[in-house]
Amino acid sequence: MSGLGIVYLFLKGTIWEGHFMEWMNLVVRVIHITFGIAWIGASFYFVFLENALNRTENVRDELAGNLWAVHGGGFYYLEKYKLAPKKIPKDLHWFKYEAYFTWLSGFSLLIIVYYFNAKSMLIDPEVLNISAFTAISISVFSLVIGWILYDQICKHLSKNKTTFTIAITVLVFFFAWFYCQVFSGRAAYIHFGAFLGTLMAANVFFVIIPGQKRMVNAAKKGELPDPKDGKAAMMRSYTNNYFTLPVLFVMISNHFPSTFGNDYEWAVLIAITVGTAGIKHYLNLREKGQLSVWIMPISVIILLGVAFTTAPEPPKYENCTTEVSFTEVVSIVKNRCVVCHSKNPEDEVWKVAPNGVMYDTPEQIYNLREKIYQRAVLSKNMPFNNNQTGMLEEERDIINCWMNQGASK
């Protein structure tokens, strides 16, 4: 990553800067998604195995359970040992690199998108007016402190399931609120995902894999593995399992400004975390053969409630006494939006039009009128970076009037 940083500094201010940033973002993002899918898939699969094991019928004493499965035209038979087999096989597959590379690529994206452009992407002066160095320092230290607090909760409160669940919930809620008090809405959501992702990866690196290594080494020596290692690893795996859906939501949240752009974005983030974690809990219970009639409906109601409460209020347009022409709208968009949304953006950060949206021609503006109306009038989260081009309320009203008058061309 340091090498990429040096290359970026070398190209900064040249014609290659935007091209380099775009491809670096693209390559790292593909790596992140690929390893993330592999990690989450493995996590879901092994939690399913744990939940679905046959633990009673024809199970040998040394086994914790077994499972028959069919997939891809083949039949599979799996066994889980209570501790370890009498002889450790030579070819033992470890599930760890998926987690490591997911976190490394995710943190690299944090650097590329938010640290390299901290003033535009990380900081919102209306939330907290701080320097780029301070914002980056808060970002890094929050991940470290978050892990320390979480780890202490796991070590000291996990014996009581209720107390443990409440403590973890309070910790997660606090960081969701905290990030929204420090960073811009987009950055706050991404940092919450980075926080959960850090806990998940650190669980693998500091607890699950070291415990498994001790169990393997003990079995190789003919000793009885410490059952505490297995229990600790399973508990950490289960918390990782509940974090996955909230993390997946955060990964795509930047495309949905009605969430991070809400006045109470921290409450929206918490509600969606609870709703998605509730759905995962329902699925876990179902895999165990247990049925809860209230968890899924409540989770869905929470998520639908978020969608309802984040709906924008219809803008007022009673004062639209004069006909607004399309030419006026084009002028506003050209003055306030084309700095980023252009084939050749002049913005310091966006060297390529965000999401490929361009307003260079009247035809492009007219074809995307609904998007302009949504972002500039209803949610008012554009122009980007705390209204960096200074769009006036009067200008938003003009676009509003034009749309309500039929958006004539």
Side-chain angles (χ1 to χ4, degrees), residues 15 38 80 103 210 226 240 249 259 271 296 311 323-325 345 379 393:
I15 192 174
K80 178 185 177 182
W103 187 87
D226 189 346
N240 280 6
F249 157 74
T259 56
M296 178 61 83
E323 189 77 16
V324 176
S325 68
S379 63
E393 285 300 317

Side-chain angles (χ1 to χ4, degrees), residues 13 63 111 144 343:
L63 297 181
I111 294 172
V144 176
K343 184 177 181 180

Side-chain angles (χ1 to χ4, degrees), residues 254-288:
N254 272 204
H255 300 287
F256 302 95
S258 60
T259 56
F260 66 80
N262 190 271
D263 290 338
Y264 299 96
E265 70 268 31
W266 61 270
V268 173
L269 182 55
I270 288 174
I272 292 178
T273 300
V274 171
T276 52
I279 290 174
K280 194 69 192 77
H281 184 53
Y282 170 82
L283 296 175
N284 287 340
L285 292 178
R286 185 178 179 183
E287 290 166 358
K288 293 179 179 180

Side-chain angles (χ1 to χ4, degrees), residues 253-381:
S253 66
N254 272 204
H255 300 287
F256 302 95
S258 60
T259 56
F260 66 80
N262 190 271
D263 290 338
Y264 299 96
E265 70 268 31
W266 61 270
V268 173
L269 182 55
I270 288 174
I272 292 178
T273 300
V274 171
T276 52
I279 290 174
K280 194 69 192 77
H281 184 53
Y282 170 82
L283 296 175
N284 287 340
L285 292 178
R286 185 178 179 183
E287 290 166 358
K288 293 179 179 180
Q290 303 173 12
L291 184 61
S292 172
V293 297
W294 59 271
I295 292 178
M296 178 61 83
I298 288 181
S299 299
V300 172
I301 289 172
I302 290 173
L303 296 176
L304 290 177
V306 172
F308 177 78
T309 56
T310 55
E313 295 182 3
K316 298 178 180 179
Y317 55 94
E318 294 88 355
N319 297 325
C320 293
T321 55
T322 58
E323 189 77 16
V324 176
S325 68
F326 180 50
T327 303
E328 293 178 77
V329 175
V330 170
S331 177
I332 293 171
V333 174
K334 290 281 188 181
N335 289 334
R336 307 302 185 186
C337 308
V338 173
V339 64
C340 295
H341 292 284
S342 172
K343 184 177 181 180
N344 298 299
E346 298 178 357
D347 185 71
E348 293 182 359
V349 174
W350 297 102
K351 302 303 180 182
V352 178
N355 297 322
V357 176
M358 303 178 192
Y359 301 133
D360 292 311
T361 67
E363 192 68 25
Q364 290 173 325
I365 294 172
Y366 187 78
N367 290 339
L368 294 171
R369 59 192 181 281
E370 292 291 345
K371 183 182 288 289
I372 295 171
Y373 179 66
Q374 176 68 36
R375 303 297 295 274
V377 178
L378 295 182
S379 63
K380 295 185 179 181
N381 49 45

Side-chain angles (χ1 to χ4, degrees), residues 315-317 373 377 396-404:
K316 298 178 180 179
Y317 55 94
Y373 179 66
V377 178
R396 299 184 195 273
D397 289 340
I398 289 173
I399 297 174
N400 180 34
C401 289
W402 177 67
M403 288 294 295
N404 281 280

